[in-house]
Amino acid sequence: MCGRYELHSHPAAIALAFGLAYPPEITARFNIAPTQQVPIVRLNAEGERELVQVRWGLVPRWAKDPSIGVKMINARAETVATRSAYSTAFRRHRCLLPADGFYEWTMRADGTKQPLRVGMKDGSVFGLAGLHERWLSPDGEPLDTCTIVTTEANSLLRAVHTRMPVIVPPEAYEAWLDPASEDVAHLLASFDSRSMTYWPVSPRVNNVRNDDSALIAPIAANDDAPAETPVQAELPVQAELPVGVGDDELETEAAPKQTQLF
């Protein structure tokens, strides 16, 4: 599952990493949560990459109520091509969510939940596999939303959680974003654990109102004070993420046909 993440790289670095024409006008965020506006990279009508803000929690085109989006923050890689909520977006509207790290939670021996910040060993920004959709209200007002695709956890994260977000390798960005590329199923695999690391961070990240750089600072085990260096310890099996949303919730409505908007 992926229920929180962070993005603090300089806009110029994001533009370089994702092939954008200009640095995006965004600020560092250290506690991005579902239902918030999030930056995604997608292809525009001219086939050029652009970064736009959409709401996290995909609302299918056929949905009667946009509140269904809160249950659609993640889409399972195993069924994303076949489920009616995601299949059209998987074929036509794939996107990338730039991230410097994401959070998972593990259960401590005392029964409390310890948040962990997961990222790349070299500190580089990376792209989470996403899907985006446009929903129209009865009044014709558009709502652009997205979801993050998840897959089985790699060997590094397996003791922490059974799932992890799909991370698209930079050399595959073009294929993932291009709707003409039909053979992308192989990109839904777990990312190479040898390139990744994690460390415990402050429980302050549990509160979405907290959003500052101290949230990603490593702390000593069972402590709330910053540690001198990142700690990657053996941890027990993780309990459910404390955001209260399941991974790829069940659909609640049948999906009627609808005219494509873009």
Side-chain angles (χ1 to χ4, degrees):
M1 179 172 182
C2 182
R4 299 279 181 84
Y5 72 98
E6 58 98 1
L7 175 64
H8 67 265
S9 283
H10 191 280
I14 295 173
L16 182 62
F18 291 92
L20 303 174
Y22 305 99
E25 295 183 3
I26 58 176
T27 58
R29 296 170 63 188
F30 297 90
N31 201 0
I32 302 172
T35 74
Q36 294 179 352
Q37 293 291 114
V38 299
I40 67 167
V41 175
R42 68 183 185 187
L43 295 185
N44 61 22
E46 288 71 41
E48 300 170 341
R49 296 183 192 181
E50 64 177 2
L51 187 145
V52 298
Q53 298 280 342
V54 303
R55 193 172 79 178
W56 183 7
L58 189 138
V59 179
R61 292 168 180 255
W62 47 260
K64 295 179 180 178
D65 188 336
S67 64
I68 193 176
V70 74
K71 299 180 179 181
M72 303 288 188
I73 68 167
N74 292 156
R76 295 177 67 91
E78 295 86 346
T79 57
V80 71
T82 57
R83 289 193 57 189
S84 61
Y86 306 120
S87 58
T88 298
F90 180 65
R91 292 193 309 272
R92 299 173 180 266
H93 305 141
R94 296 187 295 268
C95 64
L96 295 164
L97 287 82
D100 286 293
F102 59 92
Y103 299 102
E104 293 293 355
W105 278 256
T106 191
M107 185 68 75
R108 287 171 165 169
D110 62 3
T112 59
K113 294 174 181 177
Q114 171 63 60
L116 309 169
R117 188 266 191 187
V118 185
M120 297 297 161
K121 285 181 178 178
D122 62 4
S124 60
V125 65
F126 52 92
L128 303 177
L131 311 175
H132 67 96
E133 270 288 18
R134 173 167 290 178
W135 179 83
L136 288 180
S137 73
D139 297 328
E141 288 296 320
L143 174 64
D144 291 326
T145 61
C146 73
T147 189
I148 294 174
V149 184
T150 67
T151 189
E152 292 184 357
N154 60 24
S155 59
L156 174 70
L157 299 176
R158 201 166 294 139
V160 177
H161 199 291
T162 59
R163 309 287 297 178
M164 67 177 291
V166 172
I167 299 172
V168 181
E171 63 272 17
Y173 286 172
E174 182 175 358
W176 177 256
L177 292 173
D178 187 356
S181 300
E182 299 181 357
D183 184 18
V184 295
H186 64 286
L187 299 178
L188 301 177
S190 303
F191 196 76
D192 188 351
S193 61
R194 295 171 296 181
S195 301
M196 302 180 69
T197 187
Y198 66 79
W199 57 79
V201 293
S202 170
R204 291 181 58 243
V205 75
N206 295 347
N207 189 331
V208 296
R209 289 186 291 273
N210 295 326
D211 187 3
D212 55 77
S213 61
L215 295 181
I216 65 173
I219 64 170
N222 298 315
D223 194 2
D224 196 19
E228 292 184 1
T229 56
V231 177
Q232 183 175 302
E234 291 295 328
L235 294 164
V237 176
Q238 183 256 4
E240 291 187 6
L241 193 69
V243 295
V245 182
D247 184 286
D248 191 24
E249 294 287 345
L250 296 177
E251 298 168 30
T252 57
E253 303 180 60
K257 294 182 180 179
Q258 191 175 85
T259 302
Q260 294 296 322
L261 301 177
F262 66 99

